[in-house]
Amino acid sequence: MAKISDRGLENREIVLDILTEVLERGSFVHLVLNQALQKYQYLDKPDRAFITRVTEGTLEYLLQIDHIINRYSKTKTEKMKPLIRNLLRMSVYQILYMDRVPDSAACNEAVKLAVKRHFSGLKGFVNGVLRTVSREKDSLVFDTPSLAYSIPQWMYDMWEKEYGREKAGAIAASFLRDGPTWVRCNLSRASRKEILESLASQGVAVTGLSWLESMISISGYDYLESLESFRNGWIQVQDVTSALVSELADPKEGDYIIDVCAAPGGKSLHLADKLKGTGMVEARDLSEQKVAMIEENMARFGASNIKAVVWDALVTDEDARGKADIVIADLPCSGLGIIGKKPDIKYNMTMEKMAELASLQREILAASWEYVKPGGTLVYSTCTIDTKENEENARWLLSRFPLEPVDLTNRVGNAFDEPSLKEGMIQFLPGIHPFDGFFISVFRRK
């Protein structure tokens, strides 16, 4: 774990601004946090670690924190001034979950920040609520798993219904634990030995996978852009489950591949790497902005057998019918498998949105499967753990189009022996499997 510095007002003010942007304006936490860390790159590593920890931790425990604030405050969080409620939230997180930050410091700095942001009249209120939380914290009891894990009740109930009580608890608990940073080695640019030596020279700790040479987890680094191997395009941040999409697609040299929803391009670049400079990967996405993200990663990796194209995946490309050896359909989804990385997902997602996404996925699949040539491969994947978006959509594909499942037995390492592999699909569950929640299904066109 990174050493954390408590510099008082400056760090807390940055956190407050990030939380306000995310919770009051609906921005994505991973984008706002990354922008802030780049802006304040001059801060020492422990300071950036503090900003990251308090931001992510407050969002991870938000439902629980609001429950606690509302227990000790006559004014409920939804009735508070936005700045005050977010100031209380981040301060309660420090009191409950940051042993190295004295409760007195969390309270005092919150009061100073309220005054600095022109809420002097509420400094007594802020101080009173936080002192009470500090005094009562050892007696707090959470009477439901959803509250203990800070998961919306409807979401926890859904997991319990789909996966059982034990797995639902393991899934929810996993989102509150720090996971490793997985990166994929671009082995067409540098050997694994060169990459490991470069990382070691910068003091980075590395753990590998025996069954997937290109994947390693890294820790002990300051920020990615400081790593020579990242700047050189030798490594790309990517979870193991995401990398398995390209592994299970099983590309052959010379293949023509279409990735219909490619941004930011990790899977497309992985496929281009596996083609060893041959063939072509066409990385498509809806907007110029998303295609620019793909092109930025392409430039860093220096791949010549990939091109980025603006294309609406809902519109069938008549010129591409029956031409692709492989089609990758890693589609927009509810993202419930990556809540550990993007905790704001659990507060923004609804059952209605999930149903809309499942329907959208079917529309895109119906427009995209025809690109696969006879005997070619279609891979449908999502980063969610919702059966309607995953298994149900995979079976819908089989029932509607001339596709057959590809047996995936023994193709994802000896650690996985799921019965569904014979049906051409696997659902990774966070807390059950040691990676992100992710669904992959593989089909062959008859």
Side-chain angles (χ1 to χ4, degrees):
M1 181 182 294
K3 183 180 177 184
I4 288 174
S5 168
D6 181 10
R7 283 168 56 98
L9 214 58
E10 182 179 2
N11 289 346
R12 287 176 171 84
E13 192 164 19
I14 294 168
V15 173
L16 182 58
D17 288 338
I18 295 170
L19 291 174
T20 300
E21 185 67 32
V22 172
L23 294 173
E24 308 303 331
R25 302 188 183 106
S27 300
F28 296 122
V29 62
H30 64 291
L31 298 179
V32 181
L33 180 58
N34 286 342
Q35 288 167 0
L37 292 175
Q38 288 180 359
K39 180 179 178 181
Y40 298 103
Q41 214 170 83
Y42 62 84
L43 292 174
D44 293 336
K45 180 180 176 180
D47 296 311
R48 294 198 303 276
F50 178 91
I51 292 165
T52 301
R53 169 103 182 258
V54 179
T55 298
E56 293 180 343
T58 302
L59 289 168
E60 286 167 354
Y61 284 94
L62 186 65
L63 290 176
Q64 186 188 103
I65 288 169
D66 280 3
H67 173 82
I68 293 166
I69 294 172
N70 290 337
R71 180 184 293 184
Y72 299 120
S73 170
K74 290 181 180 178
T75 305
K76 304 310 174 188
T77 51
E78 63 269 19
K79 299 291 185 182
M80 293 178 186
K81 300 285 187 184
L83 183 137
I84 295 298
R85 67 168 161 251
N86 291 319
L87 179 57
L88 286 174
R89 285 164 166 168
M90 58 182 273
S91 303
V92 169
Y93 174 76
Q94 294 166 60
I95 291 169
L96 294 182
Y97 293 107
M98 295 187 72
D99 294 338
R100 294 185 182 181
V101 176
D103 290 3
S104 57
C107 297
N108 293 338
E109 297 302 321
V111 170
K112 291 179 187 175
L113 196 44
V115 172
K116 183 176 181 182
R117 289 299 184 91
H118 311 295
F119 284 96
S120 297
L122 291 173
K123 66 180 183 180
F125 169 73
V126 169
N127 187 58
V129 171
L130 295 179
R131 297 286 177 186
T132 304
V133 172
S134 173
R135 189 169 58 249
E136 300 291 333
K137 67 179 182 179
D138 292 334
S139 62
L140 289 171
V141 175
F142 305 111
D143 52 5
T144 64
S146 65
L147 196 54
Y149 298 126
S150 198
I151 292 285
Q153 187 66 54
W154 69 267
M155 195 177 287
Y156 192 87
D157 290 345
M158 177 179 68
W159 295 340
E160 202 169 64
K161 181 179 178 182
E162 292 181 350
Y163 299 113
R165 181 174 298 179
E166 186 177 342
K167 284 186 177 180
I171 290 167
S174 75
F175 293 139
L176 299 176
R177 293 194 294 266
D178 289 337
T181 299
W182 286 100
V183 298
R184 179 181 60 78
C185 301
N186 184 358
L187 298 177
S188 66
R189 292 289 300 275
S191 70
R192 194 172 189 273
K193 183 173 182 287
E194 284 178 297
I195 294 169
L196 295 182
E197 286 177 351
S198 173
L199 291 168
S201 71
Q202 293 188 267
V204 180
V206 174
T207 304
L209 279 178
S210 60
W211 52 276
L212 197 54
E213 182 192 24
S214 62
M215 298 303 300
I216 56 174
S217 69
I218 60 173
S219 59
Y221 61 95
D222 190 351
Y223 55 97
L224 277 169
E225 289 78 6
S226 69
L227 300 180
E228 177 192 43
S229 53
F230 181 83
R231 294 195 305 272
N232 290 345
W234 294 357
I235 60 172
Q236 172 78 22
V237 175
Q238 191 171 12
D239 194 73
V240 173
T241 47
S242 174
L244 277 172
V245 170
S246 302
E247 295 292 335
L248 293 176
D250 195 25
K252 306 293 188 295
E253 291 185 30
D255 276 355
Y256 171 51
I257 301 171
I258 299 176
D259 188 346
V260 298
C261 294
K267 297 175 185 66
S268 294
L269 286 162
H270 188 184
L271 289 161
D273 189 28
K274 290 180 73 65
L275 290 176
K276 298 179 180 178
T278 69
M280 178 56 63
V281 179
E282 192 167 306
R284 300 179 171 188
D285 222 302
L286 180 61
S287 66
E288 295 281 0
Q289 183 182 12
K290 289 193 171 186
V291 167
M293 292 168 64
I294 300 171
E295 289 174 337
E296 182 180 336
N297 280 317
M298 284 168 53
R300 190 168 58 83
F301 268 71
S304 59
N305 59 338
I306 180 171
K307 61 181 178 181
V309 178
V310 177
W311 190 274
D312 183 349
L314 288 169
V315 179
T316 300
D317 179 357
E318 299 294 336
D319 292 337
R321 286 180 188 269
K323 290 185 178 178
D325 296 284
I326 297 172
V327 169
I328 304 295
D330 184 64
L331 301 188
C333 70
S334 56
L336 302 187
I338 55 171
I339 287 174
K341 289 186 172 74
K342 301 177 180 179
D344 45 332
I345 287 172
K346 59 185 172 182
Y347 310 119
N348 296 326
M349 190 49 58
T350 64
M351 295 194 78
E352 291 75 21
K353 287 181 182 178
M354 289 166 64
E356 290 171 6
L357 284 162
S359 178
L360 173 65
Q361 290 152 6
R362 291 190 180 191
E363 290 184 62
I364 295 175
L365 290 166
S368 304
W369 76 270
E370 289 185 88
Y371 303 154
V372 184
K373 63 172 58 171
T377 301
L378 169 67
V379 182
Y380 169 51
S381 61
T382 73
C383 58
T384 192
I385 55 175
D386 170 34
T387 55
K388 291 183 177 61
E389 297 175 77
N390 295 342
E391 289 93 335
E392 289 185 24
N393 272 356
R395 293 193 171 99
W396 173 83
L397 263 173
L398 288 170
S399 70
R400 293 288 296 268
F401 306 112
L403 301 166
E404 58 188 4
V406 174
D407 188 346
L408 302 177
T409 307
N410 299 323
R411 290 179 58 186
V412 288
N414 297 328
F416 307 105
D417 188 25
E418 313 292 337
S420 65
L421 287 168
K422 288 188 178 299
E423 300 178 66
M425 62 183 81
I426 183 167
Q427 174 71 72
F428 292 96
L429 296 174
I432 310 301
H433 301 109
F435 311 117
D436 285 345
F438 211 90
F439 174 78
I440 307 172
S441 53
V442 185
F443 309 90
R444 182 178 295 108
R445 181 170 179 177
K446 295 179 182 177

